[in-house]
Amino acid sequence: MSGFRELIRESGVDNLNRLVENEDTKYLVFTRLTSQWALCVSDGIEVWRIEWDEEEMEAHRDLAGISSASVMLNRIKNAFNAGDLTVTPTSSMITLIAGSGVSGVTFNLYEAKAAERKAELQSVLFRLAEDVQTLDSKLKGVNQTIEKLKAQAGSGAAGHVGNPLMDLGPKKGVNPAKIKPRKTGMSVVNPTSKKRKAPSGVVFD
C-alpha cells in the first residue's frame, strides 16, 4: 500500500483541483489521498466520487487499455493542469473525461453518501483556504522584494544626479598624459623650434 501511495504522490495527483463549467453549472473537480485515492466532482452541494486502491486502479487502467498506472496518472495530471476536463451529469452518476482524443481517460463517478459528502467538502474547503493563504503569503513576499529593488534603484539614481564629485574625472577623449606644457619662447605652430622675433626695421645709431 505504501508503494501505491508513493506512486500517487510522485505522479502529482494527490491534491489536484480544477473548476469546470458545463453550460450554467460550475463543478469543482478534485482529488484526495488517504489510504486510497479519491477522485471527486462537486457542484458545491452534492458530491460524486470514486475511491480506488492499487488493485482497482490497475483494473481501470487495464480496461482503458493504458500501458501503465504511471502513464494514466500522468494523463490525469496534465488534464487538470491544462483544464482539459469534461463533466457530464446523468440521472444516476457523473461522467468525467480527463484529456481529449485517444489520450482521454473516462471515469464514472457516483453520488456520495451523506457522511462521505460532508468529509469530502470539508477536506477540499480547508485545503483551498490553505492554498489561498500560502499564495497570499508568497505574493506579499514578492511585493516586498519589488519595493526593495525599486528603493535601491531610486537611491542609486538620486545619488548620481547633481553630485559634483561624479564629474571630477578627466573628460572622455582627452588623455592628460599626452598633453605636454609648451616651453617659453617655442613656436605654437611648430613646438620643436623656437619662435622667431618679428622684424623691427633698420636701427640707426
Side-chain angles (χ1 to χ4, degrees), residues 72-94:
M72 183 175 70
L73 295 174
N74 190 58
R75 290 183 185 180
I76 295 170
K77 182 184 69 174
N78 291 339
F80 268 86
N81 291 338
D84 191 9
L85 301 168
T86 304
V87 175
T88 305
T90 65
S91 57
S92 60
M93 64 181 183
I94 274 186

Side-chain angles (χ1 to χ4, degrees), residues 6 13 24 37 41 44 54-55 60 67 77 91 94 97 102 114 138 140 142-143 146 153 155-156 169 187:
E6 195 64 29
V13 296
D24 296 330
W37 182 70
V41 173
E54 186 173 6
E55 291 182 1
H60 188 85
S67 58
K77 182 184 69 174
S91 57
I94 274 186
I97 302 176
V102 295
K138 289 181 179 179
K140 286 180 180 178
V142 171
N143 287 336
I146 292 174
S155 62
S187 171

